[in-house]
Amino acid sequence: MTNFEKLTLPERGEIITFNKGIPKIPNNPIVPFIRGDGTGVDIWPATQKVIDSAISKGYGGEKKINWFKVYAGDEACEEYGTYNYLPKDTIEAIKYFGVAIKGPLTTPVGGGIRSLNVALRQIFDLYSCVRPCRYYSGTPSPHKKPQDLDIIVYRENTEDIYMGIEWEAGDSNCIELINYLNKTLIPKSGQLKNKFISESAGIGIKPISKIGSQRHIKKAIEHAKRLKGDKRHVTLVHKGNIMKYTEGAFRDWGYELAINEFRNDCITERESWILDNIENNNEITIENNARLIEPGFERLTTSKQEIICKEIKEVISSISNSHGSNKWKKMVLVDDRIADSIFQQIQTRPQEYSIIATLNLNGDYISDAAAAIVGGLGMAPGANIGDNAAIFEATHGTAPKHAGLNRINPGSLILSGVMMLEYFGWVKAADLITNGISKAIEDKKVTYDLARLMEPKVNPLSCSEFAEAIISYF
Ligand code: NAP
């Protein structure tokens, strides 16, 4: 075991180990926690109390988390010295113990770190950011039917424009790159014709790899397999109509994964359409089904018509035995949507979606938009998951103007704790908390952020009173 410079290990507890991305959870794991900056001083103690009470109530003395305090952000600088926002101790502790939970962290100004959250994701290769968005009855919402939204956004966490590979306009390296593109690479690439980048542009690079996309989509499909009924559904969200070799490739690699690695568990939307038409159409000639499946079939060229007929034949010959006779209806449905349309669809037809697997930037936008529908960031949890570590975190920031006033909503961090308990398989404790939160909100026992939106207005509880209210329903 690593020697820590300043940390004090809990007296008891065992480590969480990983085998091919699957965690093995002992009954008494040691879990490092980062309190967080700003309102972290309010929401962490409230969260810890709720989690401990739920485990104790759900499992008696059989299970217990041994909390291990580690430092990041402003608190780390106080303990380890100026600009030491992410001490080696903290990195080693999370690496060794595998699972951690954290409050919000201030993005440091100076010290060479862009964002501590991004740094943690990169150091531990936490490639999937998971953000569930569901409605708790009674939460004020700008939406007419927020209860219809119950989705989990899987946002890729390590690639895309978020890698931060960019050059400022006017920078000499930026100009060198633009000249190389304009004079050498673009003319060499036939499909780019005579495109030209202005010398006054800034440049950002958007790398999207097959390995990065597929390991992430794999986590989303594995999650969908654990769900029931219509919720066994993964939607690949991309802007592939415009960015063919990055976002479009993400979609293609997703389908490829579903068909190759999850063949016994998955059906694509197109395959389901073909099987459905074959089985429910009296005239079962390939051409007739092709007409149903491809709108405007008659107007297509003969060669395009032949490709579609071949596709239908292939689907019938390869999966009609395993997936036909409606067997596919119990499998994970994999489809895809263009990113801009999903913003409409989660508002107009939210009940049609379950797991949204998407790239980094799209996921950032979509998860915040979905959180707004169900009641805002105060109730939106998050987890960053890799193959050898997982960090659960509140999705909001440090909200400095509320820090230390015991008034902020601890819901996001508490619900991140629920995600951690579910990840452990400690479902009894997780369910006690979600039920407690639902009841507290239904009874209008809420913090200021929700209280001010309720009609008629209610008196707000403090952060710690809200935690006590949740516990009172256990
Ligand atoms: P913020 O801390 O999320 O706060 C913005 C506003 O959101 C707050 O003033 C508050 O609105 C509302 N809010 C935030 N947390 C809430 C909660 N728990 N309950 C209810 N309402 C809540 O965003 P920011 O002011 O832009 O960022 C402050 C710092 O946090 C920055 O340094 C930023 O980099 C960092 N940050 C960290 C993370 C992270 O650690 N994951 C994420 C985002 C930002 P009202 O005042 O109107 O009630």
Side-chain angles (χ1 to χ4, degrees):
M1 147 125 53
T2 318
N3 283 326
F4 297 110
E5 187 194 336
K6 295 203 180 215
L7 301 177
T8 313
L9 269 169
E11 282 171 10
R12 293 189 184 77
E14 292 177 51
I15 62 167
I16 294 168
T17 51
F18 287 82
N19 184 7
K20 294 185 183 153
I22 312 286
K24 186 163 177 262
I25 313 291
N27 275 340
N28 57 346
I30 292 178
V31 176
F33 71 92
I34 295 168
R35 183 201 68 189
D37 298 328
T39 47
V41 297
D42 306 294
I43 61 175
W44 172 253
T47 299
Q48 186 178 341
K49 196 164 184 185
V50 170
I51 295 175
D52 285 343
S53 304
I55 296 170
S56 161
K57 180 78 183 180
Y59 296 99
E62 187 201 330
K63 294 184 192 294
K64 182 180 186 310
I65 291 177
N66 298 280
W67 298 106
F68 178 24
K69 182 172 173 65
V70 301
Y71 297 84
D74 294 341
E75 212 191 0
C77 296
E78 283 163 26
E79 201 66 24
Y80 289 84
T82 316
Y83 288 142
N84 205 343
Y85 288 103
L86 195 53
K88 189 164 166 275
D89 266 3
T90 302
I91 294 170
E92 291 301 320
I94 299 175
K95 198 180 282 172
Y96 191 74
F97 291 106
V99 174
I101 183 164
K102 62 173 276 293
L105 293 171
T106 311
T107 300
V109 181
I113 295 178
R114 268 177 171 235
S115 154
L116 292 173
N117 300 305
V118 174
L120 283 167
R121 289 169 202 161
Q122 287 175 350
I123 291 167
F124 296 106
D125 197 19
L126 305 173
Y127 54 81
S128 286
C129 172
V130 188
R131 291 192 174 174
C133 292
R134 59 160 282 203
Y135 183 65
Y136 290 91
S137 177
T139 312
S141 157
H143 209 267
K144 273 191 185 158
K145 287 187 172 174
Q147 66 277 11
D148 287 351
L149 186 79
D150 182 6
I151 62 169
I152 302 165
V153 179
Y154 267 75
R155 165 189 173 192
E156 203 287 324
N157 233 354
T158 59
E159 300 195 320
D160 206 343
I161 206 79
Y162 273 65
M163 283 185 83
I165 304 175
E166 54 178 5
W167 291 269
E168 195 179 359
D171 175 273
S172 61
N173 289 323
C174 189
I175 293 172
E176 189 182 331
L177 179 60
I178 290 172
N179 281 336
Y180 178 61
L181 289 168
N182 281 340
K183 291 182 185 154
T184 309
L185 271 192
I186 293 177
K188 256 198 337 202
S189 312
Q191 82 278 18
L192 295 177
K193 298 198 178 107
N194 48 2
K195 289 192 196 302
F196 180 80
I197 303 169
S198 160
E199 263 210 6
S200 63
I203 294 271
I205 303 275
K206 181 182 174 75
I208 305 293
S209 70
K210 180 171 179 174
I211 192 168
S213 302
Q214 288 195 334
R215 66 180 184 169
H216 168 66
I217 297 166
K218 186 174 177 184
K219 283 246 180 297
I221 295 178
E222 277 166 351
H223 192 147
K225 277 174 61 184
R226 299 194 294 273
L227 302 178
K228 297 202 168 70
D230 289 349
K231 286 288 166 193
R232 291 165 71 79
H233 178 188
V234 174
T235 304
L236 306 166
V237 173
H238 59 89
K239 192 72 186 160
N241 52 335
I242 305 296
M243 293 171 270
K244 295 188 194 315
Y245 304 125
T246 51
E247 303 237 347
F250 177 87
R251 173 204 54 209
D252 296 345
W253 291 325
Y255 280 128
E256 184 190 291
L257 179 86
I259 287 173
N260 292 342
E261 258 194 62
F262 292 95
R263 185 64 287 181
N264 295 333
D265 301 295
C266 281
I267 180 103
T268 69
E269 186 176 43
R270 184 142 177 103
E271 289 168 341
S272 71
W273 207 355
I274 291 172
L275 288 182
D276 208 22
N277 275 302
I278 296 289
E279 289 174 359
N280 295 311
N281 184 13
N282 293 330
E283 299 173 73
I284 52 165
T285 64
I286 298 295
E287 283 72 19
N288 271 336
N289 286 297
R291 276 189 184 87
L292 284 170
I293 286 155
E294 197 71 33
F297 180 84
E298 290 80 0
R299 294 192 299 279
L300 295 175
T301 59
T302 317
S303 62
K304 179 74 182 156
Q305 290 185 356
E306 278 169 8
I307 291 170
I308 295 165
C309 291
K310 186 164 167 267
E311 182 197 2
I312 295 174
K313 277 186 199 150
E314 270 171 17
V315 168
I316 297 168
S317 67
S318 64
I319 61 166
S320 66
N321 280 345
S322 55
H323 292 55
S325 309
N326 287 331
K327 287 200 274 290
W328 61 269
K329 288 188 175 164
K330 294 204 166 113
M331 295 177 181
V332 174
L333 174 69
V334 179
D335 58 9
D336 74 280
R337 295 289 179 269
I338 301 286
D340 40 49
S341 80
I342 205 74
F343 281 93
Q344 285 188 49
Q345 303 238 325
I346 58 171
Q347 301 200 54
T348 53
R349 290 146 67 182
Q351 62 279 47
E352 289 181 18
Y353 294 94
S354 173
I355 291 187
I356 289 187
T358 191
L359 303 96
N360 207 335
L361 180 63
N362 296 337
D364 199 0
Y365 295 155
I366 295 167
S367 54
D368 271 23
I373 294 174
V374 294
L377 284 181
M379 298 299 291
N384 296 291
I385 314 266
D387 286 336
N388 299 303
I391 300 183
F392 297 82
E393 65 172 358
T395 53
H396 55 75
T398 57
K401 72 179 175 187
H402 302 287
L405 300 177
N406 190 22
R407 66 194 303 261
I408 202 82
N409 184 353
S412 172
L413 193 57
I414 292 174
L415 287 168
S416 305
V418 169
M419 290 181 78
M420 185 177 78
L421 293 169
E422 286 168 348
Y423 183 76
F424 287 0
W426 297 9
V427 185
K428 273 196 251 175
D431 288 350
L432 279 169
I433 301 177
T434 35
N435 182 52
I437 290 183
S438 298
K439 292 260 171 57
I441 295 174
E442 270 171 30
D443 292 345
K444 301 191 186 309
K445 295 178 181 170
V446 293
T447 45
Y448 82 93
D449 53 312
L450 301 181
R452 71 185 167 190
L453 298 173
M454 285 183 166
E455 285 173 4
K457 295 246 177 311
V458 298
N459 285 330
L461 299 188
S462 68
C463 173
S464 53
E465 285 168 345
F466 181 54
E468 292 296 348
I470 296 167
I471 293 168
S472 73
Y473 295 103
F474 290 175

